[in-house]
Amino acid sequence: MCYAIPGRVEAMDERFVTVDYFGEKKRAINELSDLRIGDYIYAQGGYVIQALPEQEARSILSVWKETFFELQEMDLQLSRLDMKDRGVDKKTLRLLDKAAESRPLSGEELYHLLNLENDHERSMLYKTANFLRRKHLGNSCCVHGIIEFSSYCPRNCFYCGISAHNNKLARYRMTDEEIYAAVDEAVEKHGFQALVLQSGEDPEFPAPRLAGIICEIKLRHPCLIFISVGEIGIDGLRELYDAGARGVLLRFETSNPELYQTLHPGYSLDSRIAHLKAAYEMGYLIITGGLIGVPGQTKRDMLNDILLARELHSEMYSFGPFIPHPGTPLADKTVAPVEQILNTLAAARIADPDNAKILVTTSFETADPEAREKGLMAGANSVMLNVTPERFRECYEIYPNRAHLHESIPVQIETTLNLLRGLGRAPTDLGV
Ligand code: 5AD
């Protein structure tokens, strides 16, 4: 099972290599000391993660060649932009034209698009976002795996089902061996090349223990590791980077400092942002974003969330709807309409057309069973599959009835690949 096809190293300069995929060139950071021009490699998230023998690479590529071009052609057909101005007001049309030309939009212009309400205009917005996605990033779609290794958390985030105030939840903590087994299965059996290790801020997993786990994983497998363990501290971030982690998934949740304070009593947005900035400076790939429709959020906040994610150099934007959890203070609140979620993904694409990976989150999939297809056709190009062992998943209840909760890994992979194929997308992550 391959999530990334091999590419051939065409050129090397300092930290970067240029990789050829059937004539398409991508750049990636190389940390392998013995890499040479002509070698075949796998890249993930813009990092070379593994070299592979030429013969093996050629045989994989020969299987892929036809499919590769077929998928691209299908994507091209599906992402054509046909700007008919029926029912679209002049201002909207002008802004969408400007976006389609990849000219930067001002905050006010993005705000206008983010808040489109007319169905026809929205459909044009999604098409423009999808057009831009293909124009700048092609048909590749990231498929990362996520392992949720501990549901213990001392924090009190108002929206979150695993935060400390939910005393009804049965908690679990995987052992180091259980984590390695889950990683082995994801990488060896299912072919994942990028994994997110996620947990609450569990004091039983301080940075040195996490660093040991990451080192062991890196010894076992060439894969890209993202950590998602909350605020581990700046020193902690450094320790985990040195151990081999190369990505951080840490949402700032909301860009509004007062709202942040309300939702996280005793904690500050500044500290969150300081982590994200420090992580970026250290060289981490950043995945960040926030909650869509969390109580107290205004439309302005939503725009500022997108702008903050961009300012923080997100390589992947993670915006998903708030879903009320019965064991939290926000139990009786409601989920944002699907259109608001899609408008957010599309506006994020337009705000960062040529760089962003935009995730269709599991929370969106929980709110709407067709979220993946809708999101991928509105500017998104990323999904995450839950590769946590099934026996633990139920207890990682950040919100109820999570999509795919009871789906085995092979079933998730099959449905994902079928969907991607149907949309002309290649389940690959081919670098920067
Ligand atoms: N609804 C949607 N997303 C949630 N998260 C936590 N609780 C909820 C909820 N009720 C998200 C947070 C966190 C991520 C791990 O899960 O944004 O960053």
Side-chain angles (χ1 to χ4, degrees):
M1 169 66 46
C2 252
Y3 292 101
I5 56 171
R8 187 174 172 279
V9 176
E10 290 244 307
M12 305 179 72
D13 60 87
E14 301 214 346
R15 287 182 77 207
F16 285 94
V17 292
T18 305
V19 189
D20 175 274
Y21 298 94
F22 297 122
E24 219 177 281
K25 315 287 177 207
K26 306 264 181 182
R27 272 162 69 77
I29 296 170
N30 175 43
E31 296 181 328
L32 306 180
S33 54
D34 49 357
L35 200 67
R36 301 222 157 78
I37 290 177
D39 285 352
Y40 283 87
I41 56 107
Y42 281 122
Q44 273 291 327
Y47 278 90
V48 175
I49 58 163
Q50 184 186 9
L52 71 166
E54 178 168 349
Q55 215 175 354
E56 189 184 333
R58 282 182 182 277
S59 105
I60 295 169
L61 290 173
S62 69
V63 175
W64 260 93
K65 188 163 186 184
E66 217 169 299
T67 317
F68 188 81
F69 290 110
E70 274 169 19
L71 289 173
Q72 279 191 344
E73 183 55 31
M74 189 188 301
D75 183 30
L76 187 65
Q77 301 293 340
L78 291 175
S79 60
R80 282 234 162 89
L81 199 53
D82 174 16
M83 288 279 199
K84 295 219 177 65
D85 55 3
R86 273 179 286 114
V88 178
D89 88 6
K90 282 223 167 56
K91 178 176 178 187
T92 304
L93 203 58
R94 185 176 56 78
L95 295 182
L96 291 176
D97 270 337
K98 189 171 171 183
E101 287 170 12
S102 312
R103 285 192 285 149
L105 267 62
S106 69
E108 282 315 304
E109 291 172 331
L110 276 174
Y111 185 73
H112 177 86
L113 295 182
L114 181 61
N115 292 303
L116 289 180
E117 286 183 357
N118 163 306
D119 282 348
H120 190 61
E121 293 190 0
R122 278 183 168 144
S123 148
M124 296 295 279
L125 168 68
Y126 307 154
K127 283 189 176 149
T128 306
N130 189 34
F131 169 83
L132 282 171
R133 184 271 312 153
R134 196 208 64 81
K135 174 171 150 189
H136 291 290
L137 295 149
N139 71 336
S140 64
C141 180
C142 296
V143 182
H144 292 356
I146 180 161
I147 298 174
E148 299 146 345
F149 62 89
S150 165
S151 64
Y152 283 88
C153 193
R155 291 187 62 144
N156 55 358
C157 310
F158 264 36
Y159 46 82
C160 185
I162 69 163
S163 71
H165 52 230
N166 185 6
N167 51 21
K168 294 208 178 70
L169 187 70
R171 308 271 168 172
Y172 72 94
R173 179 178 287 133
M174 285 166 65
T175 63
D176 296 10
E177 288 306 322
E178 284 168 337
I179 298 173
Y180 302 144
V183 172
D184 289 349
E185 182 178 349
V187 177
E188 280 167 17
K189 199 157 151 204
H190 302 297
F192 283 89
Q193 295 181 355
L195 290 176
V196 179
L197 301 180
Q198 190 176 82
S199 68
E201 290 190 3
D202 184 349
E204 292 289 316
F205 282 98
R209 177 169 174 197
L210 286 171
I213 292 170
I214 291 163
C215 278
E216 175 63 25
I217 293 173
K218 293 296 287 182
L219 280 175
R220 289 176 181 225
H221 306 290
C223 63
L224 185 65
I225 298 177
F226 286 80
I227 45 160
S228 182
V229 295
E231 292 182 33
I232 186 93
I234 309 299
D235 291 343
L237 281 173
R238 196 164 294 114
E239 203 169 336
L240 302 189
Y241 189 91
D242 291 343
R246 286 293 175 270
V248 166
L249 163 51
L250 179 68
R251 283 179 167 176
F252 51 77
E253 314 293 359
T254 171
S255 58
N256 177 331
E258 288 88 42
L259 181 58
Y260 189 95
Q261 203 95 57
T262 311
L263 296 172
H264 314 92
Y267 293 92
S268 81
L269 179 61
D270 282 350
S271 152
R272 200 73 160 181
I273 291 178
H275 267 77
L276 284 159
K277 286 189 171 161
Y280 178 73
E281 290 303 320
M282 283 175 212
Y284 277 108
L285 300 167
I286 303 295
I287 305 181
T288 192
L291 290 159
I292 302 171
V294 71
Q297 181 184 53
T298 66
K299 291 180 172 173
R300 278 282 150 197
D301 291 337
M302 212 44 255
L303 170 71
N304 290 334
D305 287 0
I306 294 172
L307 298 179
L308 180 58
R310 184 174 69 182
E311 193 186 318
L312 292 168
H313 310 277
S314 299
E315 85 112 18
M316 188 185 288
Y317 288 58
S318 170
F319 282 97
F322 152 76
I323 296 176
H325 187 293
T328 66
L330 302 179
D332 61 343
K333 304 297 183 198
T334 51
V335 184
V338 168
E339 292 74 19
Q340 188 186 340
I341 303 165
L342 286 172
N343 279 24
T344 308
L345 301 187
R349 165 62 59 211
I350 288 171
D352 197 354
D354 49 1
N355 164 61
K357 288 167 184 154
I358 295 178
L359 182 65
V360 178
T361 62
T362 308
S363 60
F364 187 13
E365 294 185 65
T366 304
D368 180 348
E370 287 170 25
R372 269 203 192 148
E373 175 157 1
K374 290 179 180 167
L376 291 170
M377 293 303 282
N381 57 350
S382 239
V383 296
M384 272 190 203
L385 307 194
N386 192 334
V387 298
T388 311
E390 280 175 69
R391 64 188 186 281
F392 296 117
R393 284 188 209 161
E394 204 136 2
C395 295
Y396 200 80
E397 201 187 58
I398 44 185
Y399 48 82
N401 306 316
R402 285 195 299 155
H404 313 296
L405 193 62
H406 302 293
E407 276 173 28
S408 68
I409 304 173
V411 167
Q412 291 183 65
I413 291 174
E414 196 179 324
T415 48
T416 307
L417 294 189
N418 282 341
L419 174 71
L420 293 181
R421 271 192 214 110
L423 297 177
R425 308 292 174 88
T428 57
D429 184 9
L430 306 180
V432 284

